[in-house]
Amino acid sequence: MLLIDADPVGGSAILGGYFGGTVPHPGTLVELWSAHRQGSLEAAVREMPLRLSETASLIPGPAGATQAGGLTDLWPALAVQVRGLSQLGVDVLIDLGRLGHTHLAAPLVRGCDQVLLVLRSDLPSVAAASAADLPDEIPVRLVVVGPGRPYSSSSVASVVKHPVAFELPWAPGEAEVLSHGRPEPKRGRGLTRGLRQAAEQLHAMALREVAHV
């Protein structure tokens, strides 16, 4: 699996959070942009990702909005590369950041097989999601974090007008292990189990999409 951090806000939760800034990396999307300008994007996408495990790699994102604003001409070319990887059987997961950002990588959105919108079950999150400009031509599914706080997943889906792909428990302590490199809590593995189940469901959905095509 290849994870692309295309969040225009920057501040990688993986490099700066989970790894605490201790892991050197071969380059970010900024270096991919440079490779694209030099005509070597395909090779860079193959060689640059940081290996996270035996089955997962990462292309880190821009440092912030200023860098993200300069990547506009990279997105269409990168979308083509991502589609090629997908056709070779590589699962590509792209973190696009928050909805509505000026420098959202729209060409990457249009190239996706499906879009997952992650939101909490509270009123501010549901209201923002229901008012969002989401693509019509791509399946959009919801990932509800903390269902029942206070609204159920079915209630969220009825307001946002998109089906729920899966739920994740509200577990801030476990989440900080991933986002801030905190020690794992002694009790509770609900989020870990939920993420594993979500990964299995995502893979199954991707296979169904391929079979449908």
Side-chain angles (χ1 to χ4, degrees), residues 40-51:
S40 55
L41 179 59
E42 182 177 359
V45 170
R46 184 173 61 252
E47 299 168 1
M48 186 178 296
L50 171 67
R51 180 63 63 88

Side-chain angles (χ1 to χ4, degrees), residues 136-151:
D136 296 325
E137 68 276 14
I138 303 167
V140 176
R141 297 181 175 91
L142 307 178
V143 178
V144 180
V145 180
R149 294 176 54 88
Y151 302 116

Side-chain angles (χ1 to χ4, degrees), residues 2 5 16 34 40 47 57 61 81 91 93 102 104 107-108 121 140 150 153 155 164-165 168 172 177 187 196 201:
L2 176 62
D5 181 0
S34 179
S40 55
E47 299 168 1
S57 299
Q81 296 299 322
D91 293 327
L93 185 64
T102 302
L104 176 73
L108 293 183
S121 66
V140 176
S153 292
S155 296
V164 174
L168 291 174
V177 175
R187 296 182 179 180
R196 287 174 179 165
Q201 292 179 48

Side-chain angles (χ1 to χ4, degrees), residues 150-198:
Y151 302 116
S152 67
S153 292
S154 59
S155 296
V156 173
S158 67
V159 173
V160 182
K161 308 300 183 185
H162 290 287
V164 174
F166 48 85
E167 302 172 341
L168 291 174
W170 181 260
E174 285 188 74
E176 287 188 347
V177 175
L178 303 175
S179 63
H180 291 77
R182 303 274 194 252
E184 291 193 17
K186 295 181 179 180
R187 296 182 179 180
R189 293 290 185 272
L191 180 59
T192 301
R193 289 193 298 270
L195 289 172
R196 287 174 179 165
Q197 293 171 359

Side-chain angles (χ1 to χ4, degrees), residues 25-49:
H25 57 83
T28 69
L29 286 173
V30 176
E31 281 69 38
L32 276 192
W33 171 83
S34 179
H36 170 54
R37 300 272 292 187
Q38 298 169 15
S40 55
L41 179 59
E42 182 177 359
V45 170
R46 184 173 61 252
E47 299 168 1
M48 186 178 296

